[in-house]
């Protein structure tokens, strides 16, 4: 049997999320999370999935990503799934920024590492952690293909008129200032699944995909290709998010510098970490915000209204960009779970053919499903995202092209979702 297992690694600045997937039948063998890397007490939470084993948590200091991956390797080995297994075909890495050159899943070599490094100035929080993850995995299994799958890749089809900011071209080009978009792996996966749900070929459908997690982004997808997306040079642009402001008049930055003496780092921190829902009402978890609204809290209600107003503006904008829309698709933590968000986002848009059915919208479910009434001209759908499976698919297609075939995958494990 040729090797068919893919280890998917998503390395953040202080965490590594992982899943081991057998591409022979798309089954999950294990999933887990190493977190608080570099702090006094780090933890590894490991869930064996193949034999239905118990979840295990180990604590202790993990000084760096090398130590964290070492601990992950030990957990996998304890289940007989060690990294030395001949059944492991490749390691697939989520890499946030691939820039203009890295627009396809790529087997990592020195030139690829250099390019990811060159992009650090436009992804200072993410690319360094992704690089560390790849380098550590290379040390653990130097003989194995390491594949980088880029968050920006799906958006590389954006036409220039959507990708360029209206600023001086020379300055923009000199510093690579343009719109790249993020969450691409999720938008790609969800677009394909939504087409499947509609019983159509992805090439035939136009979609507005709303990835609403802690980070949030919208995209306009025509015939399986991204035509516009709400995140830009960085993941700060666009929708109101858990802690990020999304769209804002850039003059706010100069204003705060002049009147409050805030330098670039201070404003960066404000807009990325102390804004969005958190900045507006003190909570960034939509569950808590809904609880507070139900208890009559006005700050939470206003934060919700601001969140929905922005979402609606993007739905309208992308409707206009696409001209014809087959479905509006909700995904990620908020999109998959928060019925009130879905209801409010399309409320009043009947003239555009958009509506949700109250019962379908509030019915529990983890499957891809339609929540619009039968009469609606435009479908509204909930499609759970699965970035790990998508990374594994793309990695496997690259290392075992003759055997990779898009077959329906099993459901993602409930924990460790994106
Ligand atoms: P990310 O991967 O960006 O960290 P997720 O896609 O996992 O985020 O989404 C996390 C967010 O989803 C939480 O912050 C919370 O606001 C929201 N969420 C999760 N479950 C629910 C729920 N049942 N109802 C409403 N919101 C939820």
């Amino acid at each position: 049997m040729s090797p068919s297992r893919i280890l998917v690694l998503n390395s953040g600045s202080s965490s590594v999320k992982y899943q081991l997937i057998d591409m022979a039948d798309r089954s999950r063998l294990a999933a887990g999370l190493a977190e608080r890397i570099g702090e006094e007490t780090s933890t590894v939470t490991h869930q064996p999935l193949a034999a239905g084993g118990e979840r295990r948590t180990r604590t202790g200091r993990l000084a760096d990503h090398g130590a964290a991956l070492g601990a992950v390797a030990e957990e996998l080995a304890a289940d007989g799934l060690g990294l030395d297994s001949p059944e492991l075909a490749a390691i697939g890495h989520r890499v946030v920024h691939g820039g203009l050159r890295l627009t396809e899943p790529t087997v990592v070599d020195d030139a690829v590492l250099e390019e990811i490094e060159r992009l650090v100035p436009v992804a200072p929080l993410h690319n360094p952690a992704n690089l560390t993850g790849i380098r550590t995995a290379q040390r653990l299994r130097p003989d194995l293909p390491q594949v980088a799958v880029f968050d920006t890749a799906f958006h590389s089809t954006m036409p220039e008129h959507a990708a360029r900011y209206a600023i001086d071209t020379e300055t923009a080009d000199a510093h690579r200032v343009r719109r790249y978009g993020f969450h691409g792996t999720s938008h790609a996966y969800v677009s394909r699944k939504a087409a499947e749900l509609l019983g159509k070929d992805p090439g035939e459908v136009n979609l507005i995909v709303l990835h609403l997690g802690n980070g949030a982004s919208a995209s306009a997808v025509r015939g399986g290709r991204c035509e516009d997306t709400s995140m830009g040079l960085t993941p700060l642009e666009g929708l109101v998010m858990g802690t990020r402001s999304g769209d804002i008049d850039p003059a706010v930055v100069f204003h705060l510098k002049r009147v409050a003496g805030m330098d670039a780092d201070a404003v960066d921190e404000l807009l990325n970490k102390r804004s969005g829902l958190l900045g507006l009402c003190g909570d960034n978890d939509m569950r808590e915000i809904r609880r507070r609204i139900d208890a009559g809290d006005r700050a939470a209600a206003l934060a919700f209204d601001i969140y929905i107003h922005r979402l609606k503006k993007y739905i309208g904008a992308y409707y206009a960009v696409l001209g014809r829309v087959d479905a509006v698709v909700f995904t990620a933590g908020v999109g998959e779970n928060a019925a009130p968000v879905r209801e409010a986002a399309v409320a009043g848009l009947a003239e555009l053919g958009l509506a949700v059915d109250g019962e379908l919208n509030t019915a529990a479910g983890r499957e891809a499903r339609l929540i619009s009434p039968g009469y609606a001209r435009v479908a509204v759908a909930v499609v759970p995202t699965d970035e790990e499976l998508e990374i594994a698919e793309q990695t496997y297609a690259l290392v075992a092209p003759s055997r990779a075939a898009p077959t329906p995958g099993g459901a993602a494990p409930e924990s460790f979702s994106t």
Side-chain angles (χ1 to χ4, degrees):
M1 278 262 298
S2 20
S4 58
R5 292 180 184 165
I6 303 289
L7 177 65
V8 177
L9 291 182
N10 180 353
S11 306
S13 54
S14 67
S15 70
V16 177
K17 271 192 211 172
Y18 61 95
Q19 274 192 28
L20 183 65
I21 304 178
D22 192 337
M23 300 309 286
D25 57 0
R26 271 69 179 167
S27 61
R28 320 280 159 149
L29 303 177
L33 171 68
E35 52 189 335
R36 292 190 289 282
I37 299 168
E39 292 179 27
E40 271 319 298
T41 317
S42 321
T43 56
V44 179
T45 311
H46 177 83
Q47 176 78 60
L49 294 162
E54 289 282 295
R55 177 188 283 221
R56 306 191 288 273
T57 304
R58 63 147 100 172
T59 50
R61 183 167 153 75
L62 299 169
D64 51 27
H65 283 69
L69 273 186
V72 168
E74 281 171 27
E75 290 298 334
L76 288 167
D79 293 334
L81 301 168
L83 292 193
D84 53 355
S85 162
E87 289 169 78
L88 194 58
I91 301 183
H93 298 266
R94 173 188 184 214
V95 178
V96 164
H97 216 309
L100 288 179
R101 294 192 196 152
L102 299 171
T103 58
E104 300 283 338
T106 308
V107 175
V108 172
D109 59 15
D110 287 348
V112 172
L113 286 176
E114 252 169 54
E115 184 63 15
I116 297 172
E117 182 107 55
R118 213 172 63 87
L119 292 162
V120 165
V122 282
L125 297 179
H126 297 99
N127 273 29
N130 303 155
L131 273 172
T132 311
I134 296 174
R135 291 197 171 113
T136 309
Q138 278 179 324
R139 272 201 299 281
L140 288 173
R141 276 297 302 267
D143 56 313
L144 211 60
Q146 309 283 336
V147 174
V149 177
F150 302 95
D151 253 29
T152 44
F154 181 65
H155 305 302
S156 66
T157 53
M158 267 195 289
E160 285 294 281
H161 59 251
R164 282 198 175 265
Y165 293 109
I167 64 171
D168 170 61
T169 303
E170 215 171 288
T171 308
D173 288 349
H175 302 287
R176 297 196 286 265
V177 176
R178 60 187 280 126
R179 311 186 59 256
Y180 296 95
F182 299 88
H183 290 145
T185 309
S186 175
H187 285 281
Y189 175 84
V190 167
S191 300
R192 256 198 351 266
K193 287 280 156 189
E196 231 171 69
L197 182 69
L198 298 174
K200 299 218 167 120
D201 188 85
E204 291 172 350
V205 292
N206 292 353
L207 305 169
I208 297 173
V209 179
L210 304 168
H211 175 112
L212 311 177
N214 234 325
S217 64
S219 64
V221 181
R222 186 193 302 280
R225 291 163 66 86
C226 177
E227 200 153 300
D228 202 354
T229 193
S230 59
M231 285 178 166
L233 174 72
T234 77
L236 181 56
E237 192 179 341
L239 300 173
V240 175
M241 312 185 208
T243 65
R244 293 175 226 157
S245 63
D247 294 337
I248 200 163
D249 180 346
V252 168
V253 181
F254 327 135
H255 180 74
L256 287 175
K257 181 171 183 332
R258 289 180 194 127
V259 303
M262 292 171 75
D263 64 10
D265 288 343
V267 182
D268 191 331
E269 197 261 347
L270 169 76
L271 298 182
N272 273 295
K273 305 213 169 120
R274 289 192 289 124
S275 297
L277 294 169
L278 181 74
L280 288 167
C281 74
D283 271 305
N284 61 335
D285 191 312
M286 191 53 81
R287 286 164 287 203
E288 187 53 30
I289 290 170
R290 290 302 313 174
R291 265 194 290 276
R292 284 174 53 187
I293 294 171
D294 290 343
D297 187 315
R298 289 176 59 182
L302 179 58
F304 185 83
D305 289 348
I306 293 170
Y307 183 94
I308 295 296
H309 181 66
R310 185 81 51 84
L311 200 51
K312 247 188 187 153
K313 290 210 287 192
Y314 271 92
I315 293 172
Y318 287 172
Y319 207 121
V321 164
L322 291 169
R324 188 205 85 222
V325 176
D326 296 290
V328 172
V329 189
F330 288 89
T331 193
V334 175
E336 290 167 31
N337 296 299
V341 167
R342 299 191 295 254
E343 186 189 336
V346 302
L349 301 184
E351 284 291 325
L352 298 180
L354 279 163
V356 296
D357 176 285
E359 247 171 67
L360 293 175
N361 187 35
T362 49
R366 284 190 48 79
E367 298 297 309
R369 59 199 185 273
L370 292 176
I371 56 167
S372 41
Y375 63 79
R377 248 186 310 124
V378 179
V380 181
V382 179
V383 176
T385 192
D386 194 343
E387 285 162 290
E388 284 79 10
L389 180 61
E390 180 68 13
I391 291 171
E393 294 282 5
Q394 297 196 12
T395 300
Y396 193 57
L398 203 59
V399 299
S402 57
R403 292 188 301 280
T407 58
E414 278 207 31
S415 41
F416 314 121
S417 68
T418 52

